[in-house]
Amino acid sequence: MKRVLVTGGMGFIGCNFVKYMLREHDDVKIINLDKLTYAGNPENLKDLKDKRYAFVEGDVCDKSVVDKAVSKCDAIVHFAAETHVDRSIMYAGDFVTTDVFGTFVLLEAARKHKVQRFVHISTDEVYGEAVGRPSKENDALMPKSPYAASKAGADRLAFSYFCTYGLPVTITRCTNNYGPYQYPEKLIPLFVTNAIDDLPLPVYGTGRNTRDWIFVEDHCQAIDMVLESNDFEGEVFNVGSGEEKSVLDIASLILSYLNKPDDLMRFVKDRPGHVTRHAVNAAKIRKRLGWAPRRTFEAAVRTTVDWYRNNPEWWRPIKSGEFKKYYEKQYRTE
Ligand code: NAD
Ligand code: TYD
């Protein structure tokens, strides 16, 4: 039985990954270490009744909690992070603390307990702008937001633990995910849930900024493949679908699928440091691990819209709680 410590498993990608792993593997045990910040939601895994799964509430910055959890595991998949660019512009310190220092605490414990695999979940945001072509693994890291910069620090710190201490680290840099259980501060769930309620869809700047969009299950599969493989210590894998879409493309698709008018789109002031284009070249993971996304963008967005339409009891409480104060601050017009 392989024992895997998943950090941040109550968040969006983490909870999808926990379910994916327990469904795909009989010989895996999972410990989920999560602080339950505003983005960590026990509802995401409330239906999981599996003896191979255990939850520990705790902070990745807390050495004693981390040491205990790591001592019981063979491998680590490190998702826990502050993740929203707009919040990083308001509260950069929280990002440096969790994303950089929290990663350091986890790496130290992994070194002490000699874990066999450490998969560090980085992001394509570490590259900054993809100028002229999608970013490649060896491109310079030019992060533009405090979120991206904190993730870049964590990404290179993880690499340094491979170079310096021989820790078996592999790093993934995935593009923008979407799918069930994504906190509605991010573009797709925000636009879907606002459109369902006939509320405006706030488009930053011109709306022509593009991202490479991937369905969360396809990302989970890529992480599983990286975790299973023993040959890529110290390496980085980009993960992306190649489906580059602008904010305007996405808003139009969601509005037309929900039969809502285009005039729900509302152009608002741009995000400071807004990255025009994030996109990755994912040839390495396709060639070396045989990974390929299984879903097409339109079909997977429809699946996602249907999920939010069918699960209002999941997102309505979120949108009326802490989120409401955040939303008023973020989107108020001076
Ligand atoms: P999320 O914000 O939905 O979830 C983050 C989780 O981490 C939450 O459950 C939260 O409670 C937990 N957490 C936060 N601080 C913690 C701390 N100090 N200690 C323990 N737990 C803590 O994030 P997500 O979208 O699921 O992203 C997961 C990871 O994937 C992050 O590392 C992110 O940088 C990376 N990533 C995300 C995307 C994306 O599109 N969402 C793309 C590429 C990479
Ligand atoms: P987001 O989901 O925050 O992901 P990231 O900034 O990490 O890529 O945003 C995706 C794109 O959507 C980005 O170009 C910013 C834009 N956006 C809006 O236009 N309006 C919004 O309300 C949000 C949240 C994002």
Side-chain angles (χ1 to χ4, degrees):
M1 212 37 107
K2 186 193 265 180
R3 302 167 305 167
V4 182
L5 175 64
V6 172
T7 68
M10 288 298 190
F12 162 51
I13 306 173
C15 78
N16 280 287
F17 182 71
V18 168
K19 289 178 203 177
Y20 180 94
M21 290 298 285
L22 293 170
R23 191 180 73 223
E24 296 293 320
H25 302 279
D26 294 329
D27 60 341
V28 76
K29 273 188 173 177
I30 291 187
I31 296 181
N32 172 9
L33 173 65
D34 197 299
K35 185 182 170 183
L36 301 183
T37 66
Y38 78 92
N41 186 351
E43 291 290 308
N44 297 359
L45 291 175
K46 78 167 189 315
D47 297 329
L48 191 61
K49 309 268 182 283
D50 194 315
K51 287 195 177 119
R52 297 172 298 147
Y53 169 76
F55 174 61
V56 177
E57 184 174 343
D59 189 332
V60 288
C61 300
D62 181 337
K63 287 180 192 163
S64 64
V65 172
V66 168
D67 189 80
K68 203 168 157 197
V70 172
S71 73
K72 295 178 187 155
C73 291
D74 311 304
I76 298 175
V77 182
H78 178 36
F79 293 100
E82 290 291 341
T83 63
H84 191 40
V85 172
D86 292 321
R87 290 191 194 243
S88 84
I89 294 165
M90 291 179 198
Y91 315 108
D94 295 348
F95 288 69
V96 177
T97 303
T98 287
D99 300 11
V100 185
F101 184 71
T103 300
F104 158 71
V105 171
L106 204 62
L107 288 164
E108 276 292 297
R111 177 160 87 94
K112 177 176 163 195
H113 294 287
K114 300 187 171 48
V115 301
Q116 291 154 29
R117 304 283 297 123
F118 190 112
V119 181
H120 178 71
I121 308 301
S122 187
T123 163
D124 71 337
E125 308 232 1
V126 298
Y127 295 115
E129 297 281 353
V131 183
R133 59 160 174 75
S135 304
K136 293 186 181 173
E137 283 86 352
N138 288 330
D139 284 356
L141 305 189
M142 302 285 278
K144 287 178 72 175
S145 68
Y147 163 63
S150 302
K151 292 294 291 186
D155 176 314
R156 291 300 83 193
L157 194 62
F159 179 66
S160 79
Y161 270 63
F162 164 72
C163 299
T164 310
Y165 306 112
L167 191 72
V169 171
T170 308
I171 295 159
T172 61
R173 295 186 187 143
C174 190
T175 55
N176 288 57
N177 286 223
Y178 61 95
Y181 301 103
Q182 186 168 29
Y183 195 84
E185 65 193 352
K186 304 280 168 44
L187 180 75
I188 289 184
L190 177 68
F191 278 17
V192 172
T193 56
N194 276 14
I196 289 172
D197 283 347
D198 299 306
L199 293 170
L201 274 47
V203 174
Y204 297 160
T206 62
R208 298 196 187 284
N209 307 63
T210 60
R211 302 288 184 264
D212 174 335
W213 294 92
I214 187 170
F215 189 59
V216 65
E217 281 260 327
D218 286 329
H219 184 195
C220 291
Q221 189 199 10
I223 298 167
D224 182 19
M225 286 173 137
V226 170
L227 180 64
E228 286 291 300
S229 153
N230 290 316
D231 301 332
F232 300 104
E233 294 179 5
E235 297 207 29
V236 175
F237 285 99
N238 285 340
V239 183
S241 67
E243 301 253 31
E244 285 189 58
K245 307 286 173 200
S246 71
V247 172
L248 294 178
D249 295 333
I250 290 171
S252 302
L253 180 66
I254 291 169
L255 290 171
S256 87
Y257 188 48
L258 286 169
N259 281 317
K260 301 284 181 173
D262 271 356
D263 65 11
L264 275 182
M265 279 189 230
R266 206 64 43 88
F267 290 90
V268 300
K269 73 172 187 279
D270 208 353
R271 172 190 278 173
H274 198 167
V275 173
T276 314
R277 180 191 189 201
H278 280 307
V280 297
N281 178 326
K284 180 176 172 184
I285 192 165
R286 284 175 176 265
K287 191 166 167 215
R288 308 269 285 275
L289 292 178
W291 173 85
R294 291 179 180 158
R295 279 75 169 191
T296 61
F297 180 72
E298 281 216 10
V301 167
R302 281 167 192 261
T303 304
T304 304
V305 173
D306 289 341
W307 188 84
Y308 283 90
R309 228 181 347 202
N310 295 332
N311 291 280
E313 71 290 352
W314 183 84
W315 56 267
R316 285 205 184 281
I318 294 175
K319 288 193 89 170
S320 57
E322 180 272 350
F323 180 82
K324 211 167 161 190
K325 283 195 203 124
Y326 161 76
Y327 194 83
E328 276 156 15
K329 189 166 178 197
Q330 172 64 18
Y331 295 97
R332 86 173 151 228
T333 44
E334 257 86 14

